[in-house]
Amino acid sequence: MANSEDLMKKIVSFAKRRGFVFPSSEIYGGLAAVYDYGPLGVLLANNVKTLWWKATVQEHREIVGLDAAIFMSPKVWEASGHVGGFSDPLVEDKDNHQRYRVDHLLEEVGVQADEKMTRDEMQTLLDENIDAIREKYPKMGELSDVKQFNLLVKSNLGDFTDSGSDPVYLRGETAQGIYVNYKHVLDSMRVKVPFGIAQVGKSFRNEVTARQFIFRTREFEQMEMQYFVHPDEAKTVYEDWKQKRMDYYTSLGISADNLRYHEHENLIFYAKEAYDIEYQYPFGWKELEGLHARGDYDLTVHAKHSGKPLEYNDQVRGEKYVPHIVETAVGVGRTMLMFLSEAYTEEEVDGETRVVLKFHPKVAPYKVAILPLSKKEELQAVAEPIWQTLSQKWSVDYDETQSIGKRYRRQDEIGTPYCVTVDFDTLEDKCVTVRDRDTMEQERIAIDELESYFEAKLA
Ligand code: ATP
């Protein structure tokens, strides 16, 4: 592949052209850092969420699901520290109003800022390194002073003429919904520590920089799992999930060379341990997923602010304690961008460039495409029942326009692992041609055996 900037540009335009990701409200000029998923994007996003759910909830007897509301009492966000501290340090270019995150600017010149730094400390660090930063950004104009920019998105609910009432927020993370429901889950389900609660849902952040496509958006979906453990077991459970999450990505076809752990150097004050799983995106190594050992911080602050005890009465150990939490947290959009970047391939075939998304079959939006050789009725009469049978099990595309060669290319481009061609021989021998996306090899398979053939291939 050419250089990585080119690759990113290609992915962005390809994702739009092929119905994966559209800029939001584009006919009105768009809305920065907000994107819509098109027909193929929805299929891909659903696969991302279903696969995560299976690996996290379905395959773990002690992990249960939750779907908390996006709106929560504003008191939750005060207790959690988001109202006071959920902010990014920001400077603005006075000439063109472009905003930069100060920690990101510093990172680019090899300086690691500390999350706990005050605004003034951040300003000093920026001033000390401004020459090196300007070398990287020669066109950058005069900068504003550093501002702390709160990331919570405010909204109104109910009687918003009452100016004295607290604002409500669109949740900044799904995790808080889990913490405040921890007691409900304990009381309503037959779970015992150690157990986990998992949730997939939208979160909102007033991100200050908005130039990384679906990597960083202001509205995004998170897949988070909070595991509640005895303090003595937190370390072992943490190590276990750290490994499980890495194995999960390689099992879905992500090359181990494009994945790595990144240890947080400056832990937020309550954290016991924090690693990210980073992926090598076209714009560099960036956080894909956060793995955090959060100690008893979350339940303790909610118990304190709400006045409700959140201890666990451990009958087996004969002990009362506040469970420690191990968290895994990843975004749907970041996962999609990883799969798109990993899969996007350009190959020379017979002197032409073939674009192919080499998705793992489990990730691919469509698993199979049914392609009758032409629009002739006798071919449709065979092809449609095949589509009907297979679509009971998988997402299956059906396409009968254009030449077969063009249709194969189109399916390659959207990553469909198998194409089924119904031709005139089919009418005689009741067999179809199955073409493999990656090898482009073809084989004749009896229609009766197609379902079990794909069951084996897609297992
Ligand atoms: P970053 O440092 O990149 O801003 P973060 O450390 O604030 O991310 P967390 O709060 O740990 O992220 O959120 C957990 C996961 O949610 C992240 O690893 C990422 O996959 C996803 N995520 C967070 N913010 C966004 C966003 N603005 N757009 C898309 N995904 C996001």
Side-chain angles (χ1 to χ4, degrees):
M1 191 56 51
N3 74 45
S4 47
E5 207 172 307
D6 278 359
L7 173 59
M8 199 53 213
K9 276 193 194 136
K10 275 184 186 169
I11 289 174
V12 173
S13 85
F14 170 86
K16 182 173 163 192
R17 202 170 66 245
R18 285 291 177 236
F20 284 91
V21 182
F22 304 135
S24 161
S25 334
E26 201 182 20
I27 59 169
Y28 290 103
L31 183 65
V34 183
Y35 289 91
D36 300 337
Y37 296 149
L40 291 171
V42 179
L43 291 173
L44 178 58
N46 284 346
N47 292 344
V48 164
K49 288 183 272 186
T50 310
L51 288 165
W52 182 88
W53 191 266
K54 180 168 176 290
T56 311
V57 184
Q58 192 178 315
E59 293 175 1
H60 294 272
R61 235 181 312 163
E62 80 290 12
I63 301 182
V64 294
L66 180 80
D67 190 3
I70 286 171
F71 287 123
M72 304 180 77
S73 163
K75 291 182 183 141
V76 170
W77 303 105
E78 278 155 31
S80 68
H82 284 82
V83 172
F86 190 42
S87 57
D88 282 338
L90 162 84
V91 282
E92 193 170 298
D93 183 328
K94 288 184 180 168
D95 296 340
N96 60 14
H97 302 291
Q98 175 146 354
R99 290 164 161 188
Y100 299 92
R101 261 175 68 172
V102 178
D103 51 334
H104 288 175
L105 287 177
L106 289 165
E107 206 176 282
E108 291 199 35
V109 296
V111 178
Q112 183 101 26
D114 186 326
E115 282 193 34
K116 290 169 279 185
M117 278 181 167
T118 62
R119 195 210 68 86
D120 290 350
E121 287 167 337
M122 201 62 95
Q123 182 75 58
T124 307
L125 201 57
L126 177 69
D127 293 343
E128 284 167 9
N129 291 284
I130 192 67
D131 293 343
I133 292 170
R134 284 196 184 283
E135 262 176 46
K136 290 222 160 194
Y137 292 88
K139 292 193 187 137
M140 193 156 73
E142 193 192 338
L143 293 179
S144 70
D145 288 342
V146 175
K147 290 181 216 144
Q148 290 295 137
F149 190 87
N150 192 283
L151 297 181
L152 281 178
V153 177
K154 279 188 193 151
S155 186
N156 294 308
L157 262 193
D159 181 9
F160 46 82
T161 53
D162 171 10
S163 57
S165 67
D166 290 334
V168 288
Y169 303 99
L170 301 180
R171 68 178 172 209
E173 60 178 29
T174 52
Q176 297 302 325
I178 296 181
Y179 305 145
V180 301
N181 278 295
Y182 142 85
K183 204 76 179 128
H184 285 147
V185 172
L186 262 185
D187 294 346
S188 61
M189 306 297 292
R190 296 166 61 88
V191 288
K192 291 193 173 64
V193 167
F195 73 99
I197 306 179
Q199 167 158 235
V200 177
K202 288 261 167 121
S203 294
F204 302 82
R205 294 184 190 177
N206 252 323
E207 296 284 0
V208 292
T209 50
R211 289 185 303 272
Q212 285 166 327
F213 192 42
I214 54 172
F215 176 83
R216 186 182 302 288
T217 49
R218 293 185 170 137
E219 172 177 342
F220 57 101
E221 255 178 315
Q222 286 186 307
M223 303 180 283
E224 296 200 291
M225 193 278 294
Q226 312 288 321
Y227 206 86
F228 299 82
V229 288
H230 185 276
D232 291 351
E233 285 173 6
K235 173 88 182 146
T236 317
V237 167
Y238 181 76
E239 291 304 328
D240 184 36
W241 278 98
K242 205 172 129 197
Q243 189 60 48
K244 274 197 183 107
R245 295 302 301 154
M246 186 62 98
D247 294 347
Y248 171 78
Y249 292 115
T250 50
S251 79
L252 291 173
I254 303 298
S255 153
D257 293 344
N258 285 332
L259 292 164
R260 71 178 187 195
Y261 293 111
H262 167 77
E263 185 178 6
H264 285 218
E265 283 170 21
N266 297 299
L267 289 184
I268 207 153
F269 67 94
Y270 55 79
K272 306 281 178 217
E273 231 172 325
Y275 278 81
D276 295 333
I277 294 182
E278 292 189 335
Y279 176 71
Q280 190 168 22
Y281 288 96
F283 40 84
W285 287 100
K286 296 277 173 206
E287 170 176 342
L288 163 69
E289 166 156 353
L291 304 165
H292 309 128
R294 303 180 58 96
D296 63 2
Y297 175 77
D298 306 284
L299 292 182
T300 305
V301 291
H302 283 305
K304 185 166 152 237
H305 281 77
S306 67
K308 304 279 184 315
L310 294 175
E311 282 176 321
Y312 176 69
N313 190 358
D314 193 327
Q315 313 226 323
V316 180
R317 290 177 185 260
E319 237 184 281
K320 259 192 175 182
Y321 55 88
V322 176
H324 279 207
I325 291 177
V326 170
E327 165 185 77
T328 72
V330 60
V332 173
R334 278 189 198 184
T335 312
M336 287 169 67
L337 185 57
M338 171 188 69
F339 281 127
L340 282 166
S341 317
E342 185 85 7
Y344 187 92
T345 315
E346 291 180 1
E347 291 176 349
E348 278 300 297
V349 176
D350 301 333
E352 278 184 33
T353 305
R354 166 174 102 122
V355 173
V356 48
L357 286 189
K358 295 195 171 175
F359 282 136
H360 187 286
K362 287 189 176 148
V363 172
Y366 288 116
K367 311 301 180 206
V368 182
I370 311 296
L371 313 175
L373 199 61
S374 74
K375 279 189 185 169
K376 291 254 161 45
E377 259 176 45
E378 57 265 48
L379 296 184
Q380 287 170 342
V382 180
E384 284 200 10
I386 297 178
W387 180 84
Q388 265 161 14
T389 307
L390 298 185
S391 64
Q392 298 295 310
K393 289 226 164 107
W394 303 286
S395 285
V396 181
D397 201 6
Y398 187 99
D399 187 4
E400 57 184 12
T401 53
Q402 294 191 315
S403 76
I404 192 71
K406 282 202 176 133
R407 280 183 275 159
Y408 281 154
R409 289 287 179 271
R410 184 171 182 281
Q411 294 300 332
D412 289 344
E413 280 196 11
I414 62 175
T416 310
Y418 300 101
C419 289
V420 170
T421 309
V422 176
D423 55 25
F424 291 98
D425 290 342
T426 307
L427 304 179
E428 305 299 320
D429 66 3
K430 309 277 180 261
C431 289
V432 289
T433 302
V434 177
R435 172 186 178 271
D436 181 296
R437 174 195 70 198
D438 298 340
T439 63
M440 293 186 284
E441 271 166 20
Q442 310 192 352
E443 53 182 328
R444 289 297 275 184
I445 304 288
I447 294 174
D448 287 351
E449 284 163 24
L450 264 186
E451 198 175 330
S452 51
Y453 174 87
F454 285 127
E455 250 158 30
K457 289 280 191 191
L458 298 167

